Amino acid sequence: MLHLSNGTRWALRIGTAITLTFIYVPLIVIAIYAFNDSRSQSWPIEGLTLDWFDKALHNPGVRDALWTSLKAGLGATAIAILLGTLAAMAVARHRFFGRDTISFLVVLPIALPGIVTGMALNATFTQVLGVDLTLFTVIVGHATFCIVVVYNNAVARLRRTGTSLEEAANDLGAGPWRTFRDVTFPQMRTALVAGALLAFALSFDEIIVTTFTAGSEQTLPIWIFTNYSRPNQLPIVNVVGLMLIVLSIIPVYLANRLSQDPIGAPGATAGAGAAARG
Amino acid sequence: MASPAPRAEPAASGLARFLWRRPRLQLSLLLAGPVGWLVVAYLGSLAVLFVASLWQLDDFSGEIVQNPGLQNFQELIDTPVYRSIVLRTALIAALVTITDAVLAFPIAFYMAKVASPRVRALLVVAVLMPLWSSYLVKVYTWRIMLSNEGMVNWVLDPVGLNGPGFGNVATWLVFSYLWLPFMILPIYAGLERIPNSLIDASGDLGAPTWTTFRRVILPLALPALVAGSIFTFSLTLGDYITPTLVSSTQFIGNVVYANVGIANNLPLAAAFATVPVAIMVVYLLIARRLGAFESL
């Protein structure tokens, strides 16, 4: 235990409290506004109601956007699981020239500002490939920056479990596929579920890359972005906002429980880069 | 990890044996998908972006002419508005970075060196959760809080003060809010690696708290701080949502967004999008020299 003077200890406690308050007040405020019974956004709110939840759930725009977001999230997650796992197996189980480059390549889509990734994909889709911007292009964009979270979780798990069980399986006569199915995969399963949950949460919230790849498709964040300035829609925007927060925090919480490799571990900080961006 | 040690050949099916004898082929099969995707879809797109930044818009038809030249970059350098937008963005990014470093240090130090393991685990989750919760909603909430009738004015009014309203100050505040967890986590990890004995030794040798902080803790935590600043800086450079929601000022991101969506000048947007990339490359080179990459 470190020896600190009482004064220093108290200063640190106060600093911690200030920072935590700063972080959490806005999140609490949006939760309260979702129950605001007035259309006015002034503080303090006058009364509480659940009406806007009902209205939001029956709003066709919100419903369509929610559906689009779910499809985009599931599509991107599926691709990210496949590619992230493959890359992780290669990096964690083989030694080859350019192995460090793979890790760099996987992180790059979220290390660069979202607007760069978005612009790059937009230019490629519209100018080079000549494809229309649809749900498909959104999924391609999201998958690109989601690979990293699956990859990070899978690599961490593979490094931790080591190769002895796989070697034993080999010695007992199991081929590569059988070894993967009966030994490697069961060891990786929870890490992959955690990675998938994070990838989904990431995709569900993303707006910048989405804006550049969505064309006329509306995901929930884009719906908010097009409606936040319409006074009539504000109460519904507040509800959708709370929905987004809750739906992205639940997967992250579950992922944290599932994965024994803490998500806060170095490298995963980078993985969260995209979360903030979008 | 590492390449497979020599093992007994599996008595499995023909295909399995075939693959087992060819670890290189196994590796290529594993890598084909992810590397194909990232190199073709992603690096390929980045290359297109750079090429597109050399194209131009035909003045009369408004069509894109795929005819390489440096006019867009010339326009960026020659137009005073664009120059001041780049400067403003970089300046705010720097201010945000400093603000976050100041806000992050106490809580990171508390987590790493003072809190009990239980409290520490709780705090890590408490810092991590908001990082993943919807970015757009957080900006939007600040918009509500900073509005005229909003919470910030309501809190400050009794003290006779006024909130910043919408503008550059609001942008700085919201950016600092958004990226704060990105600063806390690397600093926390960095501080955790400093042995307590070094800090104690400094105290035993008579250094006051402030001196210990300045001469022992800060130099050792610097790589972590720089690692955190990569996020706070880079994320600010590319953002256009925050400036749109809480100010009417233009940032790099706004110009790119406006030129893709409204003005339909993709080449100019592409050229402007390379500016944050260039700034980040320089920043990353400096960061690497300061040892920040080991702290990421």
Side-chain angles (χ1 to χ4, degrees):
Chain A
M1 198 65 198
L2 190 66
H3 303 282
L4 292 171
S5 72
N6 261 335
T8 315
R9 245 167 234 278
W10 273 106
L12 286 170
R13 280 197 193 113
I14 292 167
T16 305
I18 291 175
T19 302
L20 278 180
T21 317
F22 183 49
I23 292 177
Y24 275 93
V25 163
L27 297 179
I28 295 166
V29 167
I30 192 66
I32 295 173
Y33 266 106
F35 300 94
N36 182 7
D37 78 347
S38 145
R39 271 179 197 280
S40 142
Q41 304 291 302
S42 60
W43 182 268
I45 63 170
E46 284 152 23
L48 298 171
T49 178
L50 284 169
D51 281 3
W52 303 115
F53 281 84
D54 190 53
K55 294 221 167 65
L57 289 174
H58 290 99
N59 181 307
V62 173
R63 283 189 158 201
D64 289 349
L66 178 62
W67 185 228
T68 308
S69 277
L70 286 175
K71 283 190 286 190
L74 291 176
T77 306
I79 297 173
I81 292 176
L82 181 68
L83 298 181
T85 311
L86 289 172
M89 300 263 305
V91 167
R93 290 290 186 261
H94 293 265
R95 203 197 298 262
F96 55 93
F97 177 75
R99 198 172 61 170
D100 294 337
T101 319
I102 303 280
S103 319
F104 177 73
L105 203 58
V106 170
V107 180
L108 197 63
I110 54 162
L112 288 178
I115 200 157
V116 176
T117 302
M119 268 297 305
L121 291 171
N122 179 290
T124 307
F125 287 136
T126 60
Q127 299 301 312
V128 178
L129 301 176
V131 296
D132 288 334
L133 299 177
T134 56
L135 183 64
F136 171 75
T137 51
V138 174
I139 292 178
V140 170
H142 285 197
T144 305
F145 61 73
C146 282
I147 295 174
V148 65
V149 282
V150 177
Y151 169 85
N152 271 346
N153 273 276
V155 161
R157 178 63 58 86
L158 284 171
R159 292 213 165 120
R160 202 157 48 78
T161 52
T163 54
S164 47
L165 286 179
E166 285 158 24
E167 279 164 26
N170 267 308
D171 291 346
L172 292 170
W177 171 243
R178 181 110 197 263
T179 309
F180 177 77
R181 199 189 56 193
D182 291 346
V183 180
T184 316
F185 181 71
Q187 287 181 308
M188 290 173 78
R189 197 159 40 206
T190 49
L192 290 182
V193 173
L197 286 166
L198 293 176
F200 183 83
L202 210 62
S203 158
F204 202 72
D205 272 350
E206 216 283 339
I207 177 155
I208 296 187
V209 175
T210 317
T211 306
F212 286 90
T213 49
S216 58
E217 292 284 338
Q218 280 205 334
T219 61
L220 269 189
I222 296 202
W223 185 87
I224 293 186
F225 196 58
T226 41
N227 284 282
Y228 77 87
S229 52
R230 299 180 189 161
N232 256 343
Q233 299 277 42
L234 282 183
I236 297 180
V237 173
N238 294 340
V239 171
V240 175
L242 181 60
M243 265 162 61
L244 272 181
I245 297 243
V246 171
L247 280 177
S248 57
I249 281 186
I250 290 173
V252 173
Y253 175 77
L254 291 177
N256 223 339
R257 291 292 301 269
L258 272 175
S259 122
Q260 289 128 317
D261 320 292
I263 296 168
T269 326
R277 268 195 4 215
Chain B
M1 48 188 294
S3 57
R7 304 175 217 151
E9 182 165 334
S13 69
L15 177 68
R17 230 172 308 160
F18 178 80
L19 274 176
W20 184 87
R21 278 201 224 99
R22 291 165 184 79
R24 292 278 120 185
L25 179 67
Q26 259 187 61
L27 179 64
S28 332
L29 287 176
L30 285 176
L31 281 176
V35 169
W37 184 287
L38 289 166
V39 171
V40 177
Y42 192 63
L43 290 187
S45 298
L46 285 180
V48 170
L49 178 73
F50 290 118
V51 174
S53 69
L54 302 174
W55 295 341
Q56 54 227 282
L57 217 57
D58 187 286
D59 284 340
F60 296 105
S61 63
E63 297 285 318
I64 292 168
V65 187
Q66 301 190 352
N67 187 0
L70 287 169
Q71 325 70 351
N72 293 316
F73 293 95
Q74 191 67 46
E75 190 178 342
L76 291 189
I77 295 166
D78 288 346
T79 316
V81 180
Y82 291 153
R83 278 205 307 263
S84 63
I85 287 173
V86 171
L87 268 179
R88 179 188 306 136
T89 310
L91 188 72
I92 293 263
L95 284 176
V96 166
T97 302
I98 296 168
T99 312
D100 278 345
V102 171
L103 283 173
F105 219 95
I107 187 171
F109 195 87
Y110 186 81
M111 283 159 71
K113 298 291 179 199
V114 183
S116 65
R118 241 183 74 85
V119 175
R120 175 184 313 165
L122 258 167
L123 283 174
V124 170
V125 175
V127 173
L128 212 57
M129 291 292 239
L131 195 109
W132 288 88
S133 66
S134 179
Y135 147 88
L136 175 66
V137 177
K138 285 185 276 192
V139 188
Y140 168 75
T141 308
W142 274 102
R143 181 182 160 86
I144 295 183
M145 286 168 55
L146 288 168
S147 68
N148 252 336
E149 308 276 282
M151 189 188 193
V152 173
N153 277 337
W154 178 79
V155 170
L156 292 177
D157 192 51
V159 209
L161 289 170
N162 245 323
F166 296 152
N168 280 337
V169 177
T171 314
W172 160 75
L173 182 70
V174 177
F175 276 138
S176 304
Y177 174 78
L178 290 171
W179 319 141
L180 181 55
F182 290 94
M183 191 60 114
I184 297 177
L185 291 170
I187 296 186
Y188 158 68
L191 288 174
E192 214 181 16
R193 282 194 291 267
I194 302 178
N196 287 350
S197 52
L198 287 183
I199 302 170
D200 280 339
S202 167
D204 292 346
L205 292 170
T209 313
W210 174 243
T211 311
T212 306
F213 172 75
R214 209 166 38 90
R215 303 280 301 271
V216 180
I217 299 172
L218 200 57
L220 287 170
L222 189 68
L225 219 147
V226 177
S229 79
I230 293 174
F231 292 109
T232 56
F233 206 81
S234 159
L235 291 167
T236 309
L237 284 184
D239 198 286
Y240 64 89
I241 306 271
T242 303
T244 311
L245 260 68
V246 300
S247 83
S248 49
T249 0
Q250 296 261 309
F251 283 74
I252 294 178
N254 299 87
V255 179
V256 177
Y257 178 65
N259 274 301
V260 174
I262 305 151
N264 213 7
N265 188 346
L266 184 94
L268 185 66
F272 224 137
T274 59
V275 174
V277 179
I279 298 178
M280 278 322 290
V281 168
V282 175
Y283 200 89
L284 288 174
L285 287 176
I286 300 171
R288 194 171 64 180
R289 286 201 65 128
L290 293 170
F293 282 20
E294 286 75 36
S295 307
L296 271 179

